[in-house]
Amino acid sequence: MTDDPPGSRRPRRLAPLRWSVATAAFQIEGARHADGRGRSIWDDFVEMPGAVLDGSTAEPGPDSWHRWREDIALAVELGVDRYRFSLSWVRVRPEHGRPANRAALDRYSRMVDALLDAGVAPFVTLYHWDLPSVLEEHGGWLDRRTPFAFAEYVQTVVDALGDRVADWYTINEPVSTTLQGYAIGELAPARTLLFGALPTAHHQLLAHGLAQQVIRSAGSGRVGIVNNHTAVRPASARDEDLAAAEVYDLLHNRLFADPVLRGEYPDLSMLGVPDLPVEDGDLALISRPSDFYGVNYYNPTRVGAAAPDSPIPFEILPIEGAPTTGFGWPIDPQGLRAVLGQLADRYGDALPPIVIGENGASFPEPDHSSHTIHDAERIDYLARHLDAVEAARNDGLDIAEFTVWSLLDNFEWADGFTQRFGLVHVDHNTSLRTPKASYSWFRDRIAASRAQHEAGAGA
Ligand code: IFM
């Protein structure tokens, strides 16, 4: 669990890094009642009094359900290879067990065509947190039937778009759903089950395995899961802090990566929890080889021993002296390098090429802006994290893609519209989009990287 950069891998000729930019359906689409959309746990969450910091409901926000052509134009102008966006399960299948919603599928289909026509590959996330409410009423990700319902929805999507979409993320950040959604209730579905949340980890991973199987059976391209990873730093070398850090690393990183990349769960006995609800064949399905492994990285986490009366066996502590983002997250690109090296060390040849599925930062910015926002801190954050990616590639790690979170300022879940991650400023009342300085910086960085690669190839 050290932050030592990986050092012993053989350098090899590097393929150019692919460039991408990401969004997610509930965070940008708005228009919650348009075109027969069903209800998700995020509709329930935003209607819970006091649940969202600024009381916002994700509407209108960027209103991308209607203004998606503007998003594509922005992605094209940026020069990215791919646009990562998620599909809304409750738009595609508004009612569980009922036929799919043609209007929604047609709208997504037009978007896929427009991206392809513009030379940007669609990179589709099948699940980015917006579970149908009706499934949550039956236990949500605690219930083994949910992964199978997910696989049915995935089949619908693949039937409609699989002839043109060649790249798929199955489940986004299962760790956030398990820990923040079901264990401590910061995110939908706002359950506070503590370790009782752990079965949701297995059911999301099973959903990944089933979705991957659907995509493989249809011969519909490349597929993988994407999780949030953090570099865990013990608060001190004291045994209690080391043990607490080990638990946190287990819960945040290994609980999700080990089954996918090793075909087994880490030993959870130190948590004193019941066994996970694993059935015969589950782990074989979950660990079938993927085409890539997605890593979302934002910050390292400093962990110490918990107070004796704490219900959880660790405490998350500030990193003294570290600069922070608008969210208060410590900024440390070496944490990303450490995460990448740790994945390579832990999983060796079982690790497919890594795709950085999200990296970015929120900073305080005005709600309305008639001029370019000079977001120097965001540029610095991204530049330094990209340096860490390049360093890891030079160490020999196979990192295929870098994705900025996010193309647009959007609905930041329980923090509503108060945290802005976009390369493009969005006025959440008018939906007006205004590129920030970081947008131009990223465009120039992509262009420079391509030019450099072409010059190298021609030499
Ligand atoms: O906005 C989220 C995204 O939906 C999932 N990953 C982290 C981002 C920033 O909090």
Side-chain angles (χ1 to χ4, degrees):
M1 213 180 312
T2 68
D3 278 8
D4 295 341
S8 58
R9 293 172 194 90
R10 206 158 17 102
R12 60 187 164 71
R13 196 173 163 73
L14 296 176
L17 194 61
R18 287 190 307 259
W19 302 98
S20 184
V21 70
T23 60
F26 193 80
Q27 293 181 271
I28 63 163
E29 286 182 351
R32 291 195 292 139
H33 304 290
D35 297 310
R37 179 181 175 280
R39 193 172 173 86
S40 83
I41 56 174
W42 275 97
D43 297 285
D44 302 332
F45 191 91
V46 300
E47 291 173 12
M48 281 164 52
V52 177
L53 189 60
D54 59 359
S56 54
T57 61
E59 293 175 297
D63 190 25
S64 293
W65 185 249
H66 298 115
R67 300 176 72 140
W68 56 273
R69 287 184 185 80
E70 294 175 44
D71 302 344
I72 292 182
L74 285 163
V76 170
E77 171 67 19
L78 206 45
V80 286
D81 298 293
R82 327 220 220 180
Y83 176 44
R84 175 184 175 194
F85 61 99
S86 80
L87 306 183
S88 161
W89 184 345
V90 294
R91 288 196 193 274
V92 171
R93 302 284 299 260
E95 286 181 75
H96 183 56
R98 305 288 300 278
N101 177 2
R102 255 351 299 172
L105 284 170
D106 289 349
R107 147 70 173 71
Y108 285 130
S109 182
R110 284 196 296 280
M111 189 173 154
V112 164
D113 286 342
L115 280 164
L116 292 170
D117 286 350
V120 175
F123 201 153
V124 168
T125 309
L126 289 159
Y127 182 73
H128 199 122
W129 302 0
D130 39 2
L131 185 73
S133 299
V134 67
L135 296 182
E136 181 57 31
E137 283 157 24
H138 295 280
W141 289 112
L142 292 162
D143 187 325
R144 191 176 168 88
R145 288 172 297 181
T146 296
F148 292 90
F150 177 67
E152 279 175 32
Y153 145 75
V154 172
Q155 186 69 61
T156 305
V157 169
V158 168
D159 289 346
L161 307 178
D163 56 336
R164 285 154 294 147
V165 173
D167 296 280
W168 308 87
Y169 290 106
T170 53
I171 302 279
N172 181 68
E173 291 187 11
V175 65
S176 307
T177 294
T178 296
L179 298 189
Q180 288 170 279
Y182 284 85
I184 60 170
E186 275 177 1
L187 299 174
R191 310 277 307 262
T192 49
L193 304 172
L194 298 178
F195 288 133
L198 295 185
T200 66
H202 181 62
H203 292 143
Q204 289 181 88
L205 295 178
L206 185 56
H208 156 72
L210 290 166
Q212 184 162 280
Q213 189 175 45
V214 169
I215 290 163
R216 293 266 186 260
S217 305
S220 287
R222 295 166 290 267
V223 56
I225 194 169
V226 55
N227 200 23
N228 183 303
H229 279 267
T230 189
V232 179
R233 299 201 173 131
S236 79
R238 289 188 314 145
D239 285 350
E240 309 86 277
D241 289 334
L242 293 175
E246 198 182 327
V247 169
Y248 192 76
D249 181 45
L250 188 104
L251 288 172
H252 193 111
N253 296 314
R254 292 188 49 209
L255 178 61
F256 299 90
D258 279 17
V260 171
L261 298 170
R262 272 196 187 139
E264 62 187 19
Y265 280 101
D267 180 5
L268 301 177
S269 57
M270 67 172 86
L271 303 177
V273 295
D275 286 345
L276 294 175
V278 179
E279 297 193 6
D280 280 354
D282 287 1
L283 283 163
L285 186 71
I286 289 168
S287 61
R288 284 207 188 140
S290 298
D291 299 292
F292 58 86
Y293 184 76
V295 173
N296 295 352
Y297 174 84
Y298 290 89
N299 56 275
T301 309
R302 183 164 171 258
V303 177
D309 56 348
S310 168
I312 49 172
F314 54 82
E315 188 178 2
I316 295 178
L317 302 164
I319 300 183
E320 271 136 42
T324 53
T325 68
F327 248 137
W329 296 348
I331 301 174
D332 184 355
Q334 282 312 312
L336 173 54
R337 194 167 173 197
V339 158
L340 298 170
Q342 194 174 59
L343 285 167
D345 289 342
R346 281 184 178 163
Y347 304 111
D349 291 344
L351 183 67
I354 290 175
V355 164
I356 308 288
E358 291 180 21
N359 179 241
S362 65
F363 291 104
E365 286 162 355
D367 290 342
H368 312 283
S369 176
S370 52
H371 60 272
T372 304
I373 290 177
H374 290 281
D375 51 343
E377 289 174 299
R378 179 170 294 105
I379 293 172
D380 185 60
Y381 178 99
L382 290 170
R384 291 173 57 219
H385 284 77
L386 262 169
D387 288 349
V389 169
E390 289 299 356
R393 276 162 54 88
N394 287 329
D395 287 334
L397 270 69
D398 192 353
I399 302 165
E401 182 158 337
F402 181 83
T403 309
V404 171
W405 182 270
S406 174
L407 175 62
L408 305 172
D409 287 340
N410 54 43
F411 178 77
E412 182 51 38
W413 308 113
D415 287 78
F417 291 136
T418 66
Q419 297 290 332
R420 294 178 172 274
F421 278 86
L423 299 176
V424 175
H425 179 272
V426 175
D427 182 316
H428 291 307
N429 292 315
T430 63
S431 309
L432 184 72
R433 289 139 166 82
T434 311
K436 303 176 193 175
S438 57
Y439 176 90
S440 310
W441 170 84
F442 192 45
R443 183 193 57 207
D444 295 349
R445 172 87 193 227
I446 294 171
S449 157
R450 286 214 183 99
Q452 195 183 15
H453 190 80
E454 277 157 25

